[in-house]
Every structure is written in structure tokens, then in C-alpha cells.
């Protein structure tokens, strides 16, 4: 699994876009980049994943650098409900342990 | 509704009293897993199961047992709980344990079980 580095915390205003960065410089060619988030008092939930191309889904967008050494999770319009810890991971899709690390705690203010 | 359920959600017990935390999924997933979450240590995997009757140790298996007799259930057993097992426990499942590069297996997590061992 590639080591990932994320800021400890970020803050955003409600209805503003949020860009959550992640560095994964040791990523290998077959490693997926994936993001989960954990809302307060809940289990983690899947947000998005990608391999090489940028990805969009109903929750977020994932922008992957051309060299794949970094990526950015984009929440297009943050809501109060998006306040959570966001975990970036880069590892093969083996279904084995997800290495959550410390993640980025996102605070959304009205 | 597709979900992973855990019971109980909260449990306070005493050292040495055997307990079982149940986990069940209704998505016909092959892969199931248990994590514990501790402040400053994040989530760490305890045990996982690739399919019925197939289980293996994760990063922190000491003091825990699991079984996988049916596809939908994956109970976590603490034969003799100790205070250092006080933690928040999550069960997770995904469709497959192994996949090729062309598919991705999202993991679904239960709501968590907060265990306190006195």
C-alpha cells in the first residue's frame, strides 16, 4: 500500500466548493486511489475511487494528477452534512484491510 | 435496504466475561471484516473472511476470535475481554475479497459497537 499524506484539518463555508488534497508519491501502477469518509458517530462510507482518469459520482469528483502521485477530492457545494473525516487511500483492490490513516477532518460552517 | 448490521450497539462488561458481537449483511457479500477504532490509532483490521469457513488474521487479532459458518454472518468473539479491548468496533463487507484491475470492491460498514471493558 502506498503511504498517503493529508492535511489534518480543513474548513469550508457552506455551499462553497471544497478541495481536499492527498499525496501518494509511492503509488504503484495497479493501486486504486479511493476515498472514504466517516461522519460523526457513524461507520466509514465509500465516497469515490479512481485509477488514472478523473471520476465523478453523485457525491464528489476525484481529480488525479497525471503522474498519479497526488489526487484531490472535490465536493462541489459543501453542506453541513459533509462535515466528516475524509480518508484517502492508495492500494490494490484486494479487498483486504483499508489503511485509513488519520484523514482530514473537514469542518463546514454556515 | 442493503446494509450491515451490528449488535449490540453499546456494551459495558467486566474483565473475563465472554461476549459476542454479531455482524450480519444482506448483500450476499463474500468478504467480511472487523476493525477497531481507537483515538490516535485510527481503524485497524482485526480479522477478515474471504468466504464461508475462510478466515484470517488482520493487524491486531490477539484476544479475538471469529467464525464464518454462513455467508451473511461474521460474529466477533472475545473469550476473555480485557480493558485494553475497550474500543469502537466496526464490521465491514464487500462483494469480493479479491478482484482484478477491472473491478472495484467498495466496502460497506456497519454502524459500530462501542465496547467498554471494566
Amino acid at each position: 500500500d502506498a503511504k498517503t499524506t493529508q492535511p489534518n484539518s480543513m474548513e469550508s463555508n457552506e455551499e462553497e466548493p471544497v478541495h481536499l488534497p492527498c499525496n501518494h508519491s509511492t503509488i504503484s501502477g495497479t493501486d486504486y486511489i479511493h476515498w472514504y469518509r466517516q461522519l460523526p458517530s457513524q461507520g466509514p462510507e465509500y465516497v469515490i475511487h479512481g485509477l488514472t482518469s478523473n471520476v465523478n459520482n453523485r457525491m464528489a469528483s476525484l481529480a488525479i494528477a497525471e503522474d498519479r502521485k497526488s489526487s484531490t477530492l472535490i465536493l462541489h457545494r459543501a453542506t453541513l452534512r459533509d462535515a466528516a473525516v475524509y480518508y484517502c487511500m492508495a492500494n490494490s483492490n484486494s479487498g483486504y484491510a483499508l489503511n485509513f490513516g488519520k484523514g482530514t477532518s473537514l469542518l463546514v460552517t454556515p | 435496504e442493503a446494509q450491515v448490521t451490528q449488535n449490540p450497539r453499546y456494551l459495558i462488561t467486566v474483565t473475563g466475561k465472554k461476549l459476542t458481537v454479531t455482524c450480519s449483511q444482506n448483500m450476499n457479500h463474500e468478504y467480511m471484516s472487523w476493525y477497531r477504532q481507537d483515538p490516535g490509532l485510527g481503524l485497524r483490521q482485526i480479522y477478515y473472511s474471504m468466504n464461508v469457513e475462510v478466515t484470517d488474521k488482520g493487524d491486531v487479532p490477539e484476544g479475538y476470535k471469529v467464525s464464518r459458518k454462513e455467508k451473511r454472518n461474521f460474529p466477533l468473539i472475545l473469550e476473555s475481554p480485557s480493558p485494553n479491548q475497550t474500543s469502537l468496533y466496526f464490521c465491514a463487507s464487500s462483494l469480493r475479497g479479491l478482484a482484478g484491475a477491472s473491478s472495484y470492491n467498495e466496502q460497506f460498514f456497519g454502524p459500530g459497537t462501542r465496547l467498554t471493558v471494566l
Side-chain angles (χ1 to χ4, degrees):
Chain A
D1 298 352
K3 178 173 161 45
T4 59
T5 305
Q6 300 177 253
N8 289 333
S9 62
M10 291 185 67
E11 191 169 338
S12 172
N13 294 320
E14 199 177 8
E15 299 192 7
E16 296 288 322
V18 182
H19 290 229
L20 297 165
C22 180
N23 285 317
H24 28 78
S25 58
T26 59
I27 194 169
S28 74
T30 57
D31 286 348
Y32 279 90
I33 298 157
H34 42 168
W35 288 75
Y36 281 70
R37 72 179 185 181
Q38 188 172 18
L39 301 170
S41 303
Q42 295 190 26
E45 64 175 349
Y46 165 81
V47 177
I48 200 166
H49 77 278
L51 199 54
T52 55
S53 305
N54 294 344
V55 183
N56 299 301
N57 67 19
R58 63 174 180 81
M59 287 180 73
S61 296
L62 177 60
I64 301 172
E66 200 169 325
D67 63 6
R68 299 205 332 125
K69 293 184 186 300
S70 66
S71 61
T72 302
L73 178 71
I74 302 164
L75 307 179
H76 295 284
R77 286 181 69 227
T79 68
L80 296 178
R81 200 191 169 278
D82 291 321
V85 179
Y86 287 79
Y87 298 97
C88 165
M89 290 167 276
N91 58 310
S92 61
N93 184 27
S94 68
Y96 283 29
L98 295 172
N99 295 319
F100 282 88
K102 291 186 174 16
T104 296
S105 180
L106 176 65
L107 175 66
V108 180
T109 52
Chain B
E1 180 191 354
Q3 61 183 344
V4 178
T5 56
Q6 296 179 226
N7 282 293
R9 295 289 313 279
Y10 302 90
L11 179 60
I12 301 174
T13 188
V14 295
T15 299
K17 186 175 180 184
K18 180 179 178 180
L19 66 92
T20 299
V21 184
T22 65
C23 172
S24 183
Q25 49 89 9
N26 61 1
M27 296 170 279
N28 202 35
H29 283 172
E30 290 185 357
Y31 178 86
M32 297 185 74
S33 174
W34 277 102
Y35 292 83
R36 60 178 288 175
Q37 185 171 30
D38 303 290
L41 297 175
L43 285 102
R44 295 175 292 167
Q45 191 182 51
I46 303 170
Y47 268 94
Y48 64 93
S49 169
M50 302 292 279
N51 213 326
V52 175
E53 301 291 1
V54 181
T55 63
D56 209 344
K57 297 176 181 178
D59 296 324
V60 288
E62 293 78 22
Y64 304 94
K65 283 176 57 177
V66 292
S67 69
R68 188 89 182 274
K69 293 183 170 46
E70 308 165 278
K71 201 171 188 179
R72 65 183 295 127
N73 296 323
F74 190 44
L76 180 69
I77 304 154
L78 285 72
E79 295 267 5
S80 182
S82 62
N84 65 11
Q85 293 177 298
T86 292
S87 187
L88 180 57
Y89 291 86
F90 290 102
C91 180
S93 73
S94 64
L95 185 60
R96 298 278 186 274
L98 289 171
S102 60
S103 61
Y104 178 82
N105 289 325
E106 167 190 350
Q107 289 203 18
F108 294 82
F109 284 79
T113 295
R114 186 165 292 281
L115 171 66
T116 301
V117 183
L118 302 175

